[in-house]
Amino acid sequence: MESPPTGTRGQWVRLSVLLLALSAAPTVEAGRAGEVRVQAFRDLAEGVSLYKNGDYAKAVRRLRASAKVALNNFRANYYLGLALIGDRRYRDALDALDVAIDLDPGHLQSHVAVGDAWLKLGDLNEAKASYYRALKIRAAYPAALDGLGRVLEAQSKTEEAIVQYRQAIASDRGFAEAYTHLGDLYLRQNRFEEAVLLLQEAVTIRPDHGPGLNRLALALGRLGLDNQAIATI
């Protein structure tokens, strides 16, 4: 093959280097994109684990990093919302949960989590509306019925709240939260024996259920059963 003229040899060299760089660019960019996706997956897995272990602030950081990269990842936004609720950042939680619901409008737990955030913010109407949205998707969904019970309690409608909690329990005998909330209500009414029975049921269903264990220990203490209360703690 004939060599290029001497005067243009430098131009040929520069052109060859440029073509080589352009051909390599897509491979480099693809590699970087792959690394970003892998890191987003790691952030998601670690964030979910941190959330489940109750380390909400660290979970928020990891899950936010994942959601920032994986904009359309439902799990990243859903668990970010839950972690923000755990970290008491309720308005921020609503933003993340709204994205999750946009991605999966039929996800029951997301609607309930939105209701929980509104309830913490003191907006009972919005909370109630979110729980009803879940019930519209699945009638007698226990977490939504339980949420309505908490709304009624916040409205000082105690007897109606009791009925609502009973409905939640009847809809799912294995839903520990409803036993806990009703037991806590009875505890505040000084109905200690009834509270103990409900709270014992809650921790039998879920032995690691922290709120149920704490309230059970308190109820046992109110009955003068100090040894059992200490053992429960």
Side-chain angles (χ1 to χ4, degrees):
M1 179 177 177
E2 185 177 352
S3 299
T6 304
T8 61
R9 185 168 298 163
Q11 295 177 357
W12 277 96
V13 171
R14 287 193 293 272
L15 179 60
S16 298
V17 171
L18 177 60
L19 291 173
L20 181 61
L22 290 173
S23 65
T27 302
V28 172
E29 290 302 320
R32 289 175 180 169
E35 291 174 3
V36 169
R37 287 194 295 271
V38 169
Q39 184 59 50
F41 178 80
R42 288 174 180 166
D43 285 333
L44 174 58
E46 181 65 20
V48 171
S49 178
L50 287 165
Y51 163 74
K52 291 182 177 179
N53 288 331
D55 198 342
Y56 302 124
K58 289 182 180 178
V60 166
R61 290 195 290 273
R62 299 301 293 268
L63 291 165
R64 196 184 292 283
S66 180
K68 187 176 180 180
V69 174
L71 299 176
N72 294 322
N73 188 301
F74 167 80
R75 291 185 77 243
N77 286 284
Y78 170 62
Y79 277 103
L80 175 57
L82 296 184
L84 285 163
I85 289 175
D87 204 35
R88 300 182 181 181
R89 296 161 61 182
Y90 305 118
R91 290 201 177 276
D92 291 340
L94 288 171
D95 292 336
L97 291 167
D98 283 345
V99 174
I101 289 174
D102 284 342
L103 294 170
D104 187 355
H107 192 256
L108 291 161
Q109 294 94 325
S110 293
H111 289 287
V112 171
V114 168
D116 292 346
W118 281 120
L119 187 56
K120 291 292 187 180
L121 288 168
D123 194 326
L124 303 184
N125 289 330
E126 287 290 348
K128 186 187 297 185
S130 294
Y131 297 136
Y132 274 120
R133 288 189 192 101
L135 290 171
K136 187 175 180 180
I137 297 168
R138 183 186 298 175
Y141 183 55
L145 294 172
D146 176 77
L148 291 175
R150 286 180 282 129
V151 169
L152 289 166
E153 265 203 89
Q155 294 173 325
S156 299
K157 298 178 180 179
T158 305
E159 293 306 315
E160 292 178 51
I162 291 172
V163 172
Q164 193 68 55
Y165 288 137
R166 290 290 182 189
Q167 288 181 3
I169 291 170
S171 70
D172 183 355
R173 296 287 179 184
F175 187 64
E177 284 79 357
Y179 291 93
T180 300
H181 293 144
L182 181 55
D184 195 27
L185 189 158
Y186 283 157
L187 184 57
R188 292 194 297 275
Q189 291 183 326
N190 296 327
R191 297 164 64 175
F192 302 129
E193 291 85 358
E194 292 170 279
V196 165
L197 290 174
L198 285 160
L199 293 166
Q200 284 177 333
E201 189 67 28
V203 300
T204 298
I205 295 166
R206 283 181 54 190
D208 62 344
H209 185 45
L213 289 166
N214 291 336
R215 305 315 288 173
L216 176 58
L218 181 56
L220 290 167
R222 294 287 180 84
L223 285 173
L225 302 174
D226 295 336
N227 290 335
Q228 292 185 43
I230 293 170
T232 299
I233 294 172

